[in-house]
Amino acid sequence: MLKGKKIILGITGSIAAYKAAFLTRLLIRQGAEVKIVITPCGKEFITPVTLATLSKNTVLCDFFSHDDGAWNSHIDLGIWADVMLIAPASANTIAKMANGIADNLLLTTYLSAKCPVVVAPAMDLDMFRHPATAKNLVTLQSFGNFIIEPTSGELASGLDGKGRMEEPEEITSWLIEFFKKKSRFSGKKILITAGPTFEKIDPVRFIGNHSSGKMGYALAKTFADQGAYVNLVSGPVSIGLPNPAVKIHPVVSADDMNQAASTLFPDMDIAIFAAAVADYKPSSQSESKIKRSGNDLLLNLIPNEDIAAKLGRLRSENQILVGFALESDDAVNNASRKLADKNLDLIVLNRINDPGAGFNVDTNRILIIGKDNIHKNFELKSKDNVAKDIVDEIFNLMINGSYA
Ligand code: PMT
C-alpha cells in the first residue's frame, strides 16, 4: 500500500510515456498523492490534460506560468515528496541527471530532491547498451538513486531487445516493497565497526592493513536507508558520510575502536563487526621518530583485545551479533570456529584469494554461516548489493528468531 505517500512522477520524452497514465492511476489507487513533472519533450508523447485528470493535480513543465508569472518551485516539490520516480526516463534525461545539467523543471527538481530517486529507463536497445548510457546509470547508482531495470521485448523501433520500461504494475509493486523495506529497521539501533585500525609505532609510522571501509560503510548506508539509527565506529578511511542519518565515531587504533564500540554496545539492538582490527600492537610507542641505524630493529608486539569476542561475552539474548571472517586457508572451518568462539549469530566469510572479494575492492563474494551450520552462498556483487543481502539475512533472523 502507498497510503499517504507523496510521489513526484517525472515523465520524459519516450513512447513509454503512455504507460505513465496507467502508472499514475495505479499509484493513486494504492493511496498515493501524485504530482507530475513532465519535460517539454514528454508533452509530445502524452498530454498534460490526461495526466492532470488522472493525478488530480496540475501537471508542471515550465519554471513559471507564462500567464501570471507564478513560480513553480522545484525546491518545494523536492522537499514535499517521499520519493521521486522518473518513468519513463529517456537516455537524454539520464545523461543530464548523471552530469548535473538543469535545463528543465524535471531536472532542477531532481537536483534539489531530498527524497530517494527511482529511475525506470526506457529506450531503444542500442541506446540502452551503449557504454555511455551504462556509465550514466552506474553514476546515478553511485548517487544513491535506484534503477528499475528495463525489460526485454518488442521496442518502438520494431527491434527486439532490452529497453522496454518496466510495466506500471511492476513499478508500483517495486515502490510498495521499497516503502516496506524503508521502515523495517525503524527504531532499531545498530553498531557497525568498519575500516582498518592503525597501531602507532612512532609519530610517523604505524602497523595497518588494506581495509578501505567500503564494506562497513555500505552496511551503514543500507541500514540507515531502512530506517535504522546507525553508529559507525570507523577506522581511518577516505570515504564520505554514507547517509546523513549515520553517526560516525572516528577512531584510529584498536584500543580506540574497542572503547567506542564498548561504550555504545549495551544500548544497541544489532552489532556488526566489519572492521579489520589489528590483532597486535607495539608494546610501546616511541614519542620521537625512530632513527635509522645499521642494526636490525625489533618490534615487540602484544595482542589487542578482540572486540567482537569481548562483546559476544557481554551480549544479551535480545541482541543480534554479526561478525566477518577474512580467511585464506581452511576458510569455512576457521569462520565457523570464529562464529562459535565469539558467540555470534552470523558470520560473513570473504576470502583473501578470491578475485574481486575482500579488501579494498568495490565488490565482494560472501558465504554467510549461521548457527546449526546453516550456509548461504552469494555471488560476486558490488559491496552495496552485498550489504543489501546481509541486511536481508539479518532482517529474517530478527523476524524469525532463528537462521534458516
Ligand atoms: O574495508 P573493505 O576494503 O571494504 O574490506 C572489507 C573487509 C575485507 C575488511 C571485511 O569484509 C572483513 O572481512 N572484515 C573483517 C576482517 C577481519 O579482520 O577478519 P578476522 O577474521 O581477522 O576477524 C574476525 C572478526 O572479529 C571480524 O568481525 C573482526 O571485525 C573481529 N575482530 C577481530 C580482531 C579484533 N581484535 N577485534 C575484532 O572485533
Side-chain angles (χ1 to χ4, degrees), residues 193-196 209-216 237 254 257 272-279 304-309 322-327 338 342 344 347-350 357-361 364 366 383:
T193 67
N209 62 63
H210 296 293
S211 171
S212 62
K214 286 178 183 170
M215 193 64 253
V237 297
M257 185 171 276
I272 300 166
F273 306 102
V277 188
D279 285 318
N304 277 320
E305 174 116 48
D306 186 324
I307 305 166
V322 179
F324 272 73
L326 182 63
E327 303 292 341
K338 286 178 184 171
K342 296 177 198 242
L344 307 170
I347 195 146
V348 180
L349 165 64
N350 40 193
F359 273 146
N360 212 2
V361 280
N364 207 356
I366 59 163
K383 281 188 175 160

Side-chain angles (χ1 to χ4, degrees), residues 295-316:
N295 302 326
D296 292 354
L297 176 70
L298 293 180
L299 277 180
N300 189 42
L301 301 179
I302 56 172
N304 277 320
E305 174 116 48
D306 186 324
I307 305 166
K310 171 184 149 188
L311 299 181
R313 288 191 296 275
L314 294 175
R315 67 176 290 175
S316 75

Side-chain angles (χ1 to χ4, degrees), residues 85-138:
L85 166 66
I86 304 175
S90 65
N92 181 41
T93 292
I94 289 169
K96 288 180 175 179
M97 288 163 70
N99 289 286
I101 294 170
D103 62 359
N104 62 44
L105 186 67
L106 187 151
L107 291 163
T108 51
T109 305
Y110 166 70
L111 286 176
S112 44
K114 296 252 186 300
C115 57
V117 177
V118 183
V119 179
M123 64 198 75
D124 204 46
L125 79 163
D126 291 315
M127 294 173 80
F128 184 69
R129 67 181 171 207
H130 194 282
T133 305
K135 185 165 157 258
N136 290 333
L137 287 170
V138 170

